[in-house]
Amino acid sequence: FTKVDFKRMVRNTGALCAMCQLGTAFAAWRALRTNDLRQRKAEMDLRGMQLVDTVFLTLPVATMQAYIGMACSSPDIVCPGRSGFDILLFLAVAGAITSATLCFVSLDLHEKPPSFTWAQYWAAHKAHLSEMAAKTVFRFLELAARISTIALFASATGGWVFSIFFMHAGIVLLALWKGPKVMGGGVTDRHVWKKLLVTKLVAMPQWFPKRVRTLRIPLLDDSKLLAATLAWPPSCFIANASDKHGKFWWRSRSCPRRSFMSLDRADAIFPLPAVLAVQVFEAMLMLLVVGSLIHKYPHYQSYYVCTVLVNMAWLMSAVGWMSAASLWNPFLPEGPP
């Protein structure tokens, strides 16, 4: 049992705590155990735990809450203590989407130097901050559109929503496997599929049978978290933010700062238009099915209209973000890149 094994055990424990919404408390406890400021900063891996918490807990729970709120508005379903539109549940879902948006935005936002005032920081980083504003609007509307569409589809069709989950995960995995060959060099191959297949041997306790004293299990690294963000419902767009070994840039000594929401070809896992095409196809499929059943569920009509409007706003925000980031930003002194 070496120091490296101990660090891996601590990281895995932190990931499990983050999945139970105890990641921040675990990181703070680890940091407070040392008096060295550099070591304390290294232990405060709040960003990774916050991302795990957002992907595996906050967003799925928000999707479930939205489904409960829509399903319980049906006169055919009896929900103890609930009837009609639940404002508290709506605020809980909106708060979860806001929290998830802030998580992704904080990963890309450059830290303000302590010596700078906010006015100086804005004057020196107008281009970056204006693009971050466009990213924030896009991420919030993307998550709102995905969650509301999935929740409405689940309310109208029940268990058929799992077919959408499996279809989306299958598309993502197939694209990770065959995508680099299909794109033919248009986007740099990040070898995410190879990193997903990396495993390690784990020694089991002595009381295990001899045949299973050692087991080969998947290696839990940051590249798998990137793939889970793309595939795990409700799922969202994300760019590459890891080095060649599958570590996030803040954990790597050789990797420069990366962006989780980057439109640059050098940072792409999949191009944003390709991800949007898959998401729009799934949204159209779910909305068409719900639209064909809406005469049976007239109480879902208001939810249906709101969901369509949110999807339209999301696509408009995507155009605004791509325009601000790749076409023309008024705060860039040299004009369009």
Side-chain angles (χ1 to χ4, degrees), residues 214-257:
T214 57
L215 291 179
R216 185 171 292 276
I217 63 174
L219 179 64
L220 298 178
D221 56 12
D222 297 333
S223 61
K224 291 182 176 59
L225 182 54
L226 290 177
T229 306
L230 288 166
W232 191 263
S235 74
C236 56
F237 167 77
I238 196 169
N240 181 55
S242 61
D243 62 3
K244 61 182 180 180
H245 301 294
K247 293 183 179 180
F248 287 142
W249 55 266
W250 66 80
R251 296 176 181 171
S252 174
R253 296 181 180 180
S254 59
C255 182
R257 183 185 178 93

mmCIF file of all heavy atoms in Angstrom, residues 214-257:
data_model
loop_
_atom_site.group_PDB
_atom_site.id
_atom_site.type_symbol
_atom_site.label_atom_id
_atom_site.label_comp_id
_atom_site.label_asym_id
_atom_site.label_seq_id
_atom_site.Cartn_x
_atom_site.Cartn_y
_atom_site.Cartn_z
ATOM 1 N N THR A 214 -7.705 -11.341 -7.886
ATOM 2 C CA THR A 214 -7.434 -10.104 -8.611
ATOM 3 C C THR A 214 -8.538 -9.901 -9.643
ATOM 4 O O THR A 214 -8.906 -10.829 -10.369
ATOM 5 C CB THR A 214 -6.066 -10.151 -9.324
ATOM 6 O OG1 THR A 214 -6.022 -11.267 -10.210
ATOM 7 C CG2 THR A 214 -4.934 -10.237 -8.308
ATOM 8 N N LEU A 215 -9.072 -8.710 -9.671
ATOM 9 C CA LEU A 215 -10.129 -8.367 -10.614
ATOM 10 C C LEU A 215 -9.687 -7.187 -11.458
ATOM 11 O O LEU A 215 -9.005 -6.280 -10.966
ATOM 12 C CB LEU A 215 -11.420 -8.010 -9.868
ATOM 13 C CG LEU A 215 -12.143 -9.143 -9.145
ATOM 14 C CD1 LEU A 215 -13.383 -8.610 -8.441
ATOM 15 C CD2 LEU A 215 -12.520 -10.258 -10.115
ATOM 16 N N ARG A 216 -10.066 -7.205 -12.701
ATOM 17 C CA ARG A 216 -9.785 -6.093 -13.609
ATOM 18 C C ARG A 216 -11.043 -5.242 -13.705
ATOM 19 O O ARG A 216 -12.083 -5.693 -14.181
ATOM 20 C CB ARG A 216 -9.367 -6.601 -14.983
ATOM 21 C CG ARG A 216 -8.934 -5.502 -15.937
ATOM 22 C CD ARG A 216 -8.328 -6.074 -17.196
ATOM 23 N NE ARG A 216 -7.058 -6.727 -16.922
ATOM 24 C CZ ARG A 216 -5.896 -6.090 -16.841
ATOM 25 N NH1 ARG A 216 -5.853 -4.761 -16.991
ATOM 26 N NH2 ARG A 216 -4.791 -6.757 -16.622
ATOM 27 N N ILE A 217 -10.939 -3.999 -13.236
ATOM 28 C CA ILE A 217 -12.084 -3.086 -13.212
ATOM 29 C C ILE A 217 -11.745 -1.832 -14.008
ATOM 30 O O ILE A 217 -10.564 -1.514 -14.220
ATOM 31 C CB ILE A 217 -12.471 -2.704 -11.766
ATOM 32 C CG1 ILE A 217 -11.321 -1.949 -11.088
ATOM 33 C CG2 ILE A 217 -12.857 -3.937 -10.965
ATOM 34 C CD1 ILE A 217 -11.668 -1.417 -9.718
ATOM 35 N N PRO A 218 -12.750 -1.102 -14.481
ATOM 36 C CA PRO A 218 -12.469 0.140 -15.216
ATOM 37 C C PRO A 218 -11.743 1.149 -14.344
ATOM 38 O O PRO A 218 -12.032 1.285 -13.143
ATOM 39 C CB PRO A 218 -13.863 0.640 -15.609
ATOM 40 C CG PRO A 218 -14.731 -0.568 -15.556
ATOM 41 C CD PRO A 218 -14.175 -1.432 -14.475
ATOM 42 N N LEU A 219 -10.806 1.850 -14.926
ATOM 43 C CA LEU A 219 -10.061 2.879 -14.215
ATOM 44 C C LEU A 219 -10.906 4.153 -14.174
ATOM 45 O O LEU A 219 -11.307 4.687 -15.208
ATOM 46 C CB LEU A 219 -8.729 3.160 -14.916
ATOM 47 C CG LEU A 219 -7.842 4.246 -14.287
ATOM 48 C CD1 LEU A 219 -7.399 3.826 -12.889
ATOM 49 C CD2 LEU A 219 -6.626 4.510 -15.168
ATOM 50 N N LEU A 220 -11.202 4.612 -12.969
ATOM 51 C CA LEU A 220 -12.021 5.816 -12.811
ATOM 52 C C LEU A 220 -11.141 7.045 -12.998
ATOM 53 O O LEU A 220 -10.376 7.409 -12.111
ATOM 54 C CB LEU A 220 -12.676 5.829 -11.422
ATOM 55 C CG LEU A 220 -13.646 4.681 -11.129
ATOM 56 C CD1 LEU A 220 -14.170 4.782 -9.712
ATOM 57 C CD2 LEU A 220 -14.787 4.677 -12.135
ATOM 58 N N ASP A 221 -11.241 7.674 -14.170
ATOM 59 C CA ASP A 221 -10.467 8.874 -14.425
ATOM 60 C C ASP A 221 -11.392 9.960 -14.968
ATOM 61 O O ASP A 221 -12.599 9.761 -15.121
ATOM 62 C CB ASP A 221 -9.303 8.596 -15.387
ATOM 63 C CG ASP A 221 -9.784 7.991 -16.705
ATOM 64 O OD1 ASP A 221 -10.997 7.991 -16.962
ATOM 65 O OD2 ASP A 221 -8.937 7.517 -17.471
ATOM 66 N N ASP A 222 -10.812 11.106 -15.257
ATOM 67 C CA ASP A 222 -11.616 12.262 -15.640
ATOM 68 C C ASP A 222 -12.218 12.129 -17.037
ATOM 69 O O ASP A 222 -13.247 12.727 -17.322
ATOM 70 C CB ASP A 222 -10.764 13.531 -15.562
ATOM 71 C CG ASP A 222 -10.300 13.811 -14.134
ATOM 72 O OD1 ASP A 222 -11.007 13.393 -13.214
ATOM 73 O OD2 ASP A 222 -9.244 14.442 -13.957
ATOM 74 N N SER A 223 -11.583 11.356 -17.904
ATOM 75 C CA SER A 223 -12.138 11.188 -19.252
ATOM 76 C C SER A 223 -13.473 10.468 -19.198
ATOM 77 O O SER A 223 -14.372 10.736 -20.022
ATOM 78 C CB SER A 223 -11.151 10.421 -20.138
ATOM 79 O OG SER A 223 -10.907 9.126 -19.622
ATOM 80 N N LYS A 224 -13.648 9.552 -18.265
ATOM 81 C CA LYS A 224 -14.934 8.868 -18.123
ATOM 82 C C LYS A 224 -16.009 9.833 -17.632
ATOM 83 O O LYS A 224 -17.189 9.694 -17.976
ATOM 84 C CB LYS A 224 -14.790 7.678 -17.185
ATOM 85 C CG LYS A 224 -13.954 6.543 -17.764
ATOM 86 C CD LYS A 224 -13.869 5.376 -16.823
ATOM 87 C CE LYS A 224 -13.113 4.206 -17.472
ATOM 88 N NZ LYS A 224 -11.742 4.548 -17.870
ATOM 89 N N LEU A 225 -15.619 10.806 -16.821
ATOM 90 C CA LEU A 225 -16.576 11.815 -16.376
ATOM 91 C C LEU A 225 -17.013 12.701 -17.540
ATOM 92 O O LEU A 225 -18.181 13.098 -17.629
ATOM 93 C CB LEU A 225 -15.968 12.659 -15.255
ATOM 94 C CG LEU A 225 -16.863 13.734 -14.638
ATOM 95 C CD1 LEU A 225 -18.175 13.141 -14.146
ATOM 96 C CD2 LEU A 225 -16.138 14.427 -13.489
ATOM 97 N N LEU A 226 -16.091 13.003 -18.451
ATOM 98 C CA LEU A 226 -16.456 13.766 -19.644
ATOM 99 C C LEU A 226 -17.470 12.993 -20.491
ATOM 100 O O LEU A 226 -18.465 13.556 -20.961
ATOM 101 C CB LEU A 226 -15.203 14.067 -20.475
ATOM 102 C CG LEU A 226 -14.201 15.065 -19.913
ATOM 103 C CD1 LEU A 226 -13.000 15.162 -20.841
ATOM 104 C CD2 LEU A 226 -14.826 16.431 -19.722
ATOM 105 N N ALA A 227 -17.213 11.690 -20.681
ATOM 106 C CA ALA A 227 -18.135 10.880 -21.470
ATOM 107 C C ALA A 227 -19.490 10.761 -20.776
ATOM 108 O O ALA A 227 -20.541 10.782 -21.433
ATOM 109 C CB ALA A 227 -17.544 9.497 -21.715
ATOM 110 N N ALA A 228 -19.479 10.658 -19.445
ATOM 111 C CA ALA A 228 -20.741 10.569 -18.708
ATOM 112 C C ALA A 228 -21.547 11.851 -18.836
ATOM 113 O O ALA A 228 -22.776 11.816 -18.911
ATOM 114 C CB ALA A 228 -20.466 10.264 -17.240
ATOM 115 N N THR A 229 -20.870 12.999 -18.872
ATOM 116 C CA THR A 229 -21.582 14.259 -19.043
ATOM 117 C C THR A 229 -22.291 14.310 -20.384
ATOM 118 O O THR A 229 -23.388 14.865 -20.498
ATOM 119 C CB THR A 229 -20.599 15.438 -18.935
ATOM 120 O OG1 THR A 229 -19.868 15.333 -17.702
ATOM 121 C CG2 THR A 229 -21.329 16.763 -18.949
ATOM 122 N N LEU A 230 -21.690 13.724 -21.412
ATOM 123 C CA LEU A 230 -22.317 13.678 -22.730
ATOM 124 C C LEU A 230 -23.446 12.659 -22.812
ATOM 125 O O LEU A 230 -24.425 12.865 -23.536
ATOM 126 C CB LEU A 230 -21.270 13.348 -23.794
ATOM 127 C CG LEU A 230 -20.253 14.433 -24.134
ATOM 128 C CD1 LEU A 230 -19.097 13.829 -24.926
ATOM 129 C CD2 LEU A 230 -20.902 15.551 -24.922
ATOM 130 N N ALA A 231 -23.339 11.552 -22.060
ATOM 131 C CA ALA A 231 -24.275 10.441 -22.225
ATOM 132 C C ALA A 231 -25.307 10.342 -21.115
ATOM 133 O O ALA A 231 -26.425 9.897 -21.355
ATOM 134 C CB ALA A 231 -23.499 9.120 -22.309
ATOM 135 N N TRP A 232 -24.967 10.752 -19.893
ATOM 136 C CA TRP A 232 -25.861 10.565 -18.747
ATOM 137 C C TRP A 232 -27.006 11.573 -18.815
ATOM 138 O O TRP A 232 -26.784 12.752 -19.024
ATOM 139 C CB TRP A 232 -25.063 10.734 -17.462
ATOM 140 C CG TRP A 232 -25.778 10.318 -16.213
ATOM 141 C CD1 TRP A 232 -26.452 11.129 -15.351
ATOM 142 C CD2 TRP A 232 -25.859 9.003 -15.679
ATOM 143 N NE1 TRP A 232 -26.966 10.395 -14.311
ATOM 144 C CE2 TRP A 232 -26.622 9.081 -14.489
ATOM 145 C CE3 TRP A 232 -25.386 7.765 -16.096
ATOM 146 C CZ2 TRP A 232 -26.898 7.961 -13.703
ATOM 147 C CZ3 TRP A 232 -25.661 6.654 -15.318
ATOM 148 C CH2 TRP A 232 -26.402 6.754 -14.133
ATOM 149 N N PRO A 233 -28.258 11.121 -18.647
ATOM 150 C CA PRO A 233 -29.379 12.061 -18.749
ATOM 151 C C PRO A 233 -29.347 13.106 -17.626
ATOM 152 O O PRO A 233 -28.962 12.772 -16.509
ATOM 153 C CB PRO A 233 -30.604 11.141 -18.602
ATOM 154 C CG PRO A 233 -30.104 9.900 -17.926
ATOM 155 C CD PRO A 233 -28.678 9.745 -18.367
ATOM 156 N N PRO A 234 -29.736 14.342 -17.942
ATOM 157 C CA PRO A 234 -30.276 14.811 -19.219
ATOM 158 C C PRO A 234 -29.216 15.040 -20.282
ATOM 159 O O PRO A 234 -29.556 15.268 -21.427
ATOM 160 C CB PRO A 234 -30.950 16.127 -18.844
ATOM 161 C CG PRO A 234 -30.158 16.646 -17.704
ATOM 162 C CD PRO A 234 -29.758 15.425 -16.922
ATOM 163 N N SER A 235 -27.917 15.024 -19.939
ATOM 164 C CA SER A 235 -26.785 15.179 -20.852
ATOM 165 C C SER A 235 -26.690 16.598 -21.396
ATOM 166 O O SER A 235 -27.677 17.318 -21.490
ATOM 167 C CB SER A 235 -26.836 14.186 -22.016
ATOM 168 O OG SER A 235 -27.819 14.545 -22.946
ATOM 169 N N CYS A 236 -25.479 17.018 -21.727
ATOM 170 C CA CYS A 236 -25.265 18.361 -22.266
ATOM 171 C C CYS A 236 -23.947 18.391 -23.023
ATOM 172 O O CYS A 236 -23.133 17.472 -22.924
ATOM 173 C CB CYS A 236 -25.266 19.414 -21.150
ATOM 174 S SG CYS A 236 -24.073 19.128 -19.828
ATOM 175 N N PHE A 237 -23.754 19.455 -23.786
ATOM 176 C CA PHE A 237 -22.530 19.609 -24.569
ATOM 177 C C PHE A 237 -21.349 19.889 -23.650
ATOM 178 O O PHE A 237 -21.459 20.633 -22.665
ATOM 179 C CB PHE A 237 -22.675 20.759 -25.560
ATOM 180 C CG PHE A 237 -21.377 21.193 -26.186
ATOM 181 C CD1 PHE A 237 -20.803 20.437 -27.198
ATOM 182 C CD2 PHE A 237 -20.739 22.337 -25.754
ATOM 183 C CE1 PHE A 237 -19.595 20.821 -27.771
ATOM 184 C CE2 PHE A 237 -19.537 22.732 -26.323
ATOM 185 C CZ PHE A 237 -18.960 21.972 -27.329
ATOM 186 N N ILE A 238 -20.211 19.290 -23.967
ATOM 187 C CA ILE A 238 -18.993 19.536 -23.201
ATOM 188 C C ILE A 238 -17.799 19.317 -24.126
ATOM 189 O O ILE A 238 -17.848 18.469 -25.030
ATOM 190 C CB ILE A 238 -18.914 18.623 -21.958
ATOM 191 C CG1 ILE A 238 -17.875 19.133 -20.959
ATOM 192 C CG2 ILE A 238 -18.609 17.193 -22.355
ATOM 193 C CD1 ILE A 238 -17.933 18.443 -19.624
ATOM 194 N N ALA A 239 -16.765 20.092 -23.929
ATOM 195 C CA ALA A 239 -15.545 19.958 -24.717
ATOM 196 C C ALA A 239 -14.491 19.207 -23.908
ATOM 197 O O ALA A 239 -14.684 18.892 -22.733
ATOM 198 C CB ALA A 239 -15.025 21.337 -25.126
ATOM 199 N N ASN A 240 -13.365 18.937 -24.560
ATOM 200 C CA ASN A 240 -12.286 18.236 -23.883
ATOM 201 C C ASN A 240 -11.602 19.162 -22.890
ATOM 202 O O ASN A 240 -11.284 20.304 -23.205
ATOM 203 C CB ASN A 240 -11.265 17.728 -24.894
ATOM 204 C CG ASN A 240 -10.145 16.969 -24.229
ATOM 205 O OD1 ASN A 240 -10.384 16.025 -23.498
ATOM 206 N ND2 ASN A 240 -8.925 17.378 -24.483
ATOM 207 N N ALA A 241 -11.379 18.695 -21.673
ATOM 208 C CA ALA A 241 -10.713 19.503 -20.656
ATOM 209 C C ALA A 241 -9.666 18.680 -19.924
ATOM 210 O O ALA A 241 -9.356 18.942 -18.767
ATOM 211 C CB ALA A 241 -11.736 20.061 -19.660
ATOM 212 N N SER A 242 -9.124 17.668 -20.591
ATOM 213 C CA SER A 242 -8.162 16.777 -19.949
ATOM 214 C C SER A 242 -6.906 16.661 -20.794
ATOM 215 O O SER A 242 -6.878 17.027 -21.969
ATOM 216 C CB SER A 242 -8.791 15.387 -19.752
ATOM 217 O OG SER A 242 -9.149 14.827 -20.997
ATOM 218 N N ASP A 243 -5.859 16.132 -20.175
ATOM 219 C CA ASP A 243 -4.604 15.936 -20.890
ATOM 220 C C ASP A 243 -4.600 14.557 -21.549
ATOM 221 O O ASP A 243 -5.607 13.848 -21.565
ATOM 222 C CB ASP A 243 -3.420 16.108 -19.937
ATOM 223 C CG ASP A 243 -3.420 15.074 -18.815
ATOM 224 O OD1 ASP A 243 -4.313 14.183 -18.811
ATOM 225 O OD2 ASP A 243 -2.553 15.148 -17.929
ATOM 226 N N LYS A 244 -3.448 14.169 -22.090
ATOM 227 C CA LYS A 244 -3.375 12.898 -22.817
ATOM 228 C C LYS A 244 -3.519 11.692 -21.904
ATOM 229 O O LYS A 244 -3.760 10.578 -22.381
ATOM 230 C CB LYS A 244 -2.056 12.817 -23.581
ATOM 231 C CG LYS A 244 -0.822 12.873 -22.688
ATOM 232 C CD LYS A 244 0.443 12.832 -23.528
ATOM 233 C CE LYS A 244 1.689 12.876 -22.637
ATOM 234 N NZ LYS A 244 2.929 12.832 -23.451
ATOM 235 N N HIS A 245 -3.390 11.914 -20.595
ATOM 236 C CA HIS A 245 -3.544 10.817 -19.644
ATOM 237 C C HIS A 245 -4.952 10.770 -19.050
ATOM 238 O O HIS A 245 -5.220 9.942 -18.174
ATOM 239 C CB HIS A 245 -2.523 10.943 -18.519
ATOM 240 C CG HIS A 245 -1.101 10.929 -18.988
ATOM 241 N ND1 HIS A 245 -0.517 9.831 -19.575
ATOM 242 C CD2 HIS A 245 -0.143 11.897 -18.978
ATOM 243 C CE1 HIS A 245 0.738 10.109 -19.901
ATOM 244 N NE2 HIS A 245 0.996 11.360 -19.559
ATOM 245 N N GLY A 246 -5.822 11.653 -19.487
ATOM 246 C CA GLY A 246 -7.194 11.638 -18.998
ATOM 247 C C GLY A 246 -7.418 12.405 -17.718
ATOM 248 O O GLY A 246 -8.404 12.152 -17.020
ATOM 249 N N LYS A 247 -6.535 13.350 -17.394
ATOM 250 C CA LYS A 247 -6.688 14.151 -16.178
ATOM 251 C C LYS A 247 -7.122 15.565 -16.540
ATOM 252 O O LYS A 247 -6.672 16.117 -17.546
ATOM 253 C CB LYS A 247 -5.363 14.221 -15.395
ATOM 254 C CG LYS A 247 -4.920 12.890 -14.799
ATOM 255 C CD LYS A 247 -3.659 13.073 -13.982
ATOM 256 C CE LYS A 247 -3.208 11.767 -13.346
ATOM 257 N NZ LYS A 247 -1.967 11.955 -12.549
ATOM 258 N N PHE A 248 -7.989 16.144 -15.708
ATOM 259 C CA PHE A 248 -8.411 17.515 -15.933
ATOM 260 C C PHE A 248 -7.226 18.456 -15.804
ATOM 261 O O PHE A 248 -6.230 18.152 -15.124
ATOM 262 C CB PHE A 248 -9.491 17.924 -14.941
ATOM 263 C CG PHE A 248 -10.827 17.292 -15.225
ATOM 264 C CD1 PHE A 248 -11.640 16.873 -14.191
ATOM 265 C CD2 PHE A 248 -11.255 17.103 -16.525
ATOM 266 C CE1 PHE A 248 -12.870 16.305 -14.449
ATOM 267 C CE2 PHE A 248 -12.482 16.522 -16.795
ATOM 268 C CZ PHE A 248 -13.292 16.110 -15.749
ATOM 269 N N TRP A 249 -7.312 19.620 -16.442
ATOM 270 C CA TRP A 249 -6.163 20.517 -16.523
ATOM 271 C C TRP A 249 -5.698 21.004 -15.160
ATOM 272 O O TRP A 249 -4.517 21.272 -14.969
ATOM 273 C CB TRP A 249 -6.489 21.698 -17.431
ATOM 274 C CG TRP A 249 -7.722 22.466 -17.070
ATOM 275 C CD1 TRP A 249 -8.971 22.278 -17.571
ATOM 276 C CD2 TRP A 249 -7.827 23.542 -16.147
ATOM 277 N NE1 TRP A 249 -9.855 23.157 -17.014
ATOM 278 C CE2 TRP A 249 -9.177 23.957 -16.136
ATOM 279 C CE3 TRP A 249 -6.914 24.216 -15.330
ATOM 280 C CZ2 TRP A 249 -9.637 24.989 -15.338
ATOM 281 C CZ3 TRP A 249 -7.369 25.254 -14.531
ATOM 282 C CH2 TRP A 249 -8.719 25.627 -14.536
ATOM 283 N N TRP A 250 -6.593 21.111 -14.169
ATOM 284 C CA TRP A 250 -6.141 21.599 -12.866
ATOM 285 C C TRP A 250 -5.468 20.506 -12.040
ATOM 286 O O TRP A 250 -4.867 20.774 -11.020
ATOM 287 C CB TRP A 250 -7.304 22.210 -12.085
ATOM 288 C CG TRP A 250 -8.381 21.254 -11.679
ATOM 289 C CD1 TRP A 250 -8.366 20.397 -10.614
ATOM 290 C CD2 TRP A 250 -9.630 21.054 -12.327
ATOM 291 N NE1 TRP A 250 -9.527 19.676 -10.557
ATOM 292 C CE2 TRP A 250 -10.329 20.072 -11.601
ATOM 293 C CE3 TRP A 250 -10.239 21.621 -13.436
ATOM 294 C CZ2 TRP A 250 -11.596 19.632 -11.960
ATOM 295 C CZ3 TRP A 250 -11.500 21.187 -13.788
ATOM 296 C CH2 TRP A 250 -12.174 20.221 -13.060
ATOM 297 N N ARG A 251 -5.560 19.251 -12.485
ATOM 298 C CA ARG A 251 -4.873 18.155 -11.810
ATOM 299 C C ARG A 251 -3.601 17.747 -12.529
ATOM 300 O O ARG A 251 -2.855 16.912 -12.032
ATOM 301 C CB ARG A 251 -5.792 16.941 -11.718
ATOM 302 C CG ARG A 251 -7.039 17.158 -10.867
ATOM 303 C CD ARG A 251 -7.925 15.938 -10.920
ATOM 304 N NE ARG A 251 -9.140 16.109 -10.130
ATOM 305 C CZ ARG A 251 -10.159 15.277 -10.138
ATOM 306 N NH1 ARG A 251 -10.110 14.209 -10.910
ATOM 307 N NH2 ARG A 251 -11.224 15.496 -9.406
ATOM 308 N N SER A 252 -3.386 18.291 -13.706
ATOM 309 C CA SER A 252 -2.255 17.895 -14.540
ATOM 310 C C SER A 252 -1.174 18.970 -14.500
ATOM 311 O O SER A 252 -1.464 20.166 -14.512
ATOM 312 C CB SER A 252 -2.714 17.667 -15.980
ATOM 313 O OG SER A 252 -1.619 17.428 -16.823
ATOM 314 N N ARG A 253 0.069 18.542 -14.477
ATOM 315 C CA ARG A 253 1.193 19.473 -14.503
ATOM 316 C C ARG A 253 1.628 19.820 -15.919
ATOM 317 O O ARG A 253 2.343 20.807 -16.112
ATOM 318 C CB ARG A 253 2.370 18.862 -13.747
ATOM 319 C CG ARG A 253 2.106 18.635 -12.253
ATOM 320 C CD ARG A 253 3.324 18.043 -11.566
ATOM 321 N NE ARG A 253 3.098 17.823 -10.144
ATOM 322 C CZ ARG A 253 3.997 17.306 -9.309
ATOM 323 N NH1 ARG A 253 5.198 16.941 -9.783
ATOM 324 N NH2 ARG A 253 3.703 17.139 -8.035
ATOM 325 N N SER A 254 1.210 19.025 -16.892
ATOM 326 C CA SER A 254 1.643 19.253 -18.275
ATOM 327 C C SER A 254 0.553 19.838 -19.161
ATOM 328 O O SER A 254 0.840 20.249 -20.284
ATOM 329 C CB SER A 254 2.115 17.928 -18.895
ATOM 330 O OG SER A 254 1.066 16.970 -18.880
ATOM 331 N N CYS A 255 -0.676 19.878 -18.663
ATOM 332 C CA CYS A 255 -1.787 20.314 -19.497
ATOM 333 C C CYS A 255 -2.090 21.786 -19.243
ATOM 334 O O CYS A 255 -2.258 22.193 -18.090
ATOM 335 C CB CYS A 255 -3.036 19.473 -19.200
ATOM 336 S SG CYS A 255 -4.469 19.894 -20.220
ATOM 337 N N PRO A 256 -2.151 22.621 -20.270
ATOM 338 C CA PRO A 256 -2.530 24.025 -20.074
ATOM 339 C C PRO A 256 -4.009 24.135 -19.718
ATOM 340 O O PRO A 256 -4.752 23.157 -19.771
ATOM 341 C CB PRO A 256 -2.238 24.664 -21.438
ATOM 342 C CG PRO A 256 -2.372 23.535 -22.406
ATOM 343 C CD PRO A 256 -1.896 22.311 -21.686
ATOM 344 N N ARG A 257 -4.410 25.346 -19.360
ATOM 345 C CA ARG A 257 -5.798 25.547 -18.993
ATOM 346 C C ARG A 257 -6.711 25.189 -20.170
ATOM 347 O O ARG A 257 -6.507 25.619 -21.291
ATOM 348 C CB ARG A 257 -6.035 27.002 -18.576
ATOM 349 C CG ARG A 257 -7.465 27.258 -18.114
ATOM 350 C CD ARG A 257 -7.702 28.721 -17.832
ATOM 351 N NE ARG A 257 -9.078 28.947 -17.449
ATOM 352 C CZ ARG A 257 -9.530 28.957 -16.207
ATOM 353 N NH1 ARG A 257 -8.687 28.798 -15.218
ATOM 354 N NH2 ARG A 257 -10.797 29.165 -15.934
#
